């Protein structure tokens, strides 16, 4: 989707992202910042929530899911140019997201092969869940997931969780043969792409000297998908863990899982609404208005 963001929106988001980058807590994984929409405060300044629950974006997702779905995660995936960081950021290893998740990949910079744009393997989304193996070069990759189990306080060791597509299971020539038939994204700042949840994809480090690669990733799941429980992210500003939550941004809580409608609701409000709806038989209205290891057939995505 060319020109997805207006010029003003692009300028505003760049400025906000620069602020996050500059103020990031030293213990938070640089490069992959999760679920800002859960913790940006106050509400009026929660630009990630506003973006992820924007009516125009929800309309796009509705075309895929119908009326009932949740805003599952927001991510900032940043690869600085080598003038800022000699490593140019890290790779995201070859993976599939899962069968169900819908992802909007919104560029705040022009992206191509020089600064870590996405690379996909066309046609392979029809092959189901591909076999995975432990990543062969985890030290070069983002750790893959910024999710923590309760009580865990340190970033998981690279390699402990990281899986990649098992190229050798499909190509006699291994990674090299697999990568021969791939397509590089070349997009402009303000463009947005959606990739099929089953398409294999990866991204490489930023090897440009001066071109940032800042992308906002928004993910959605159907409202009958299990509500996340007991998984945590680090707050970008103070590194304190907070529990991952999905928000019902459209339609009904079809399995009565107690979804909140926004980071500002509390459980009681939604529970009361659900109880009132159940009592009257009313159908609720939509609000209307937003790594690592892919787990295969569950539809859970890498990085959800
Ligand atoms: O933006 C990237 O480099 C990786 C994104 C990704 O893996 C995804 O959106 O599923």
């Amino acid at each position: 989707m060319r020109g997805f963001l207006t010029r003003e929106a692009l300028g505003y988001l760049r400025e906000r992202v620069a602020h996050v980058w500059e103020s990031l807590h030293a213990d938070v994984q640089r490069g992959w910042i999760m679920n800002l929409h859960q913790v940006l405060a106050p509400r009026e300044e929660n630009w990630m929530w506003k973006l992820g629950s924007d009516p125009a974006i929800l309309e796009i997702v509705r075309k895929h899911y119908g009326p009932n779905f949740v805003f599952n995660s927001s991510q900032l995936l940043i690869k600085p140019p080598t003038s800022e960081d000699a490593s140019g950021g890290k790779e995201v290893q070859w993976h599939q997201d899962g069968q169900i998740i819908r992802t909007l990949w919104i560029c705040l910079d022009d992206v191509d092969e020089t600064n870590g744009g996405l690379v996909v393997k066309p046609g392979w989304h029809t092959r189901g869940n591909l076999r995975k193996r432990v990543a062969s070069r985890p030290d070069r990759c983002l750790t893959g997931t910024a999710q923590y189990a309760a009580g865990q306080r340190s970033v998981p060791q690279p390699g402990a969780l990281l899986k990649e597509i098992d190229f050798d299971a499909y190509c006699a020539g291994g990674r090299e043969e697999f990568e021969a038939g791939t397509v590089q994204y070349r997009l402009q700042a303000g463009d947005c792409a959606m990739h099929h949840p089953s398409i294999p994809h990866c991204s490489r480090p930023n090897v440009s000297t001066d071109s940032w690669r800042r992308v906002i990733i928004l993910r959605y799941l159907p409202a009958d998908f299990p509500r996340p429980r007991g998984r945590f992210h680090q707050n970008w500003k103070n590194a304190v863990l907070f529990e991952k939550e999905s928000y019902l941004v459209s339609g009904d809580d079809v399995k009565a899982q107690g979804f909140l409608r926004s980071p500002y609701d509390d459980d009681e409000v939604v529970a009361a609404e659900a109880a009132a709806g159940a009592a009257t038989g009313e159908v609720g209205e939509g609000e209307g208005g937003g790594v690592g290891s892919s787990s295969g057939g569950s539809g859970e995505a890498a990085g959800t």
Side-chain angles (χ1 to χ4, degrees):
M1 292 172 267
R2 293 280 180 202
F4 185 76
L5 296 176
T6 62
R7 186 187 291 262
E8 295 76 44
L10 177 60
Y12 174 74
L13 290 171
R14 278 179 165 172
E15 180 221 308
R16 295 289 81 206
V17 168
H19 172 70
V20 169
W21 182 258
E22 281 152 21
S23 321
L24 204 60
H25 192 280
D27 291 346
V28 174
Q29 175 176 233
R30 281 187 103 67
W32 206 326
I33 303 151
M34 304 292 290
N35 282 26
L36 280 174
H37 67 283
Q38 284 195 246
V39 293
L40 285 174
R43 182 179 188 136
E44 308 73 54
E45 286 170 28
N46 191 338
W47 49 273
M48 191 64 99
W49 170 251
K50 285 187 197 161
L51 184 66
S53 60
D54 184 273
I57 289 185
L58 299 187
E59 201 45 47
I60 293 170
V61 181
R62 211 167 276 128
K63 291 198 174 92
H64 291 261
Y65 286 149
N68 307 314
F69 57 90
V70 297
F71 178 19
N72 168 261
S73 87
S74 66
Q75 308 174 17
L76 273 186
L77 214 152
I78 300 179
K79 301 189 193 209
T82 55
S83 54
E84 286 284 327
D85 172 349
S87 76
K90 293 196 166 188
E91 292 182 26
V92 174
Q93 83 290 357
W94 279 105
H95 66 279
Q96 296 168 295
D97 288 341
Q99 305 298 313
I100 302 176
I101 201 123
R102 291 293 179 266
T103 300
L104 277 85
W105 201 82
I106 303 172
C107 304
L108 302 186
D109 299 291
D110 295 354
V111 292
D112 60 23
E113 59 276 28
T114 65
N115 66 350
L118 214 67
V119 182
V120 299
K121 178 84 176 164
W124 280 51
H125 62 289
T126 58
R127 297 189 176 212
N129 300 317
L130 300 175
R131 265 179 57 178
K132 294 186 284 290
R133 66 180 187 199
V134 172
S136 48
R137 40 194 206 197
D139 48 313
R140 293 203 210 167
C141 298
L142 281 163
T143 48
T145 179
Q147 293 170 356
Y148 300 80
Q152 187 179 338
R153 286 288 178 276
S154 60
V155 175
Q157 283 304 302
L161 299 170
L162 207 57
K163 297 266 176 67
E164 68 186 4
I165 289 171
D166 185 357
F167 316 107
D168 297 316
Y170 302 97
C171 302
R175 176 191 287 266
E176 202 178 320
E177 182 183 329
F178 179 86
E179 290 187 338
T182 54
V183 167
Q184 171 73 54
Y185 274 24
R186 293 198 184 100
L187 298 173
Q188 288 168 359
D191 291 350
C192 172
M194 289 184 83
H195 49 265
H196 190 284
S198 298
I199 198 161
H201 56 284
C202 76
S203 67
R204 307 209 165 90
N206 186 342
V207 293
S208 75
T209 50
D210 55 3
S211 163
W212 283 82
R213 182 280 203 195
R214 294 165 295 188
V215 169
I216 296 177
I217 297 169
L218 304 174
R219 296 201 198 268
Y220 300 84
L221 281 167
D224 59 1
F225 197 85
R227 182 179 173 189
R229 296 288 81 191
R231 289 189 287 149
F232 296 80
H233 294 303
Q234 270 179 310
N235 186 313
W236 64 288
K237 207 160 191 179
N238 54 21
V240 171
L241 296 187
F242 62 93
E243 188 165 14
K244 175 181 171 58
E245 192 57 271
S246 284
Y247 299 101
L248 185 67
V249 284
S250 176
D252 294 329
D253 188 356
V254 286
K255 284 197 172 165
Q257 299 188 72
F259 284 118
L260 309 180
R261 285 195 179 269
S262 85
Y264 307 97
D265 283 355
D266 60 30
D267 292 270
E268 287 76 14
V269 174
V270 173
E273 276 179 10
T280 60
E282 273 174 24
V283 178
E285 277 184 28
E287 290 268 282
V291 183
S293 56
S294 72
S295 61
S298 70
E300 185 84 24
T304 53

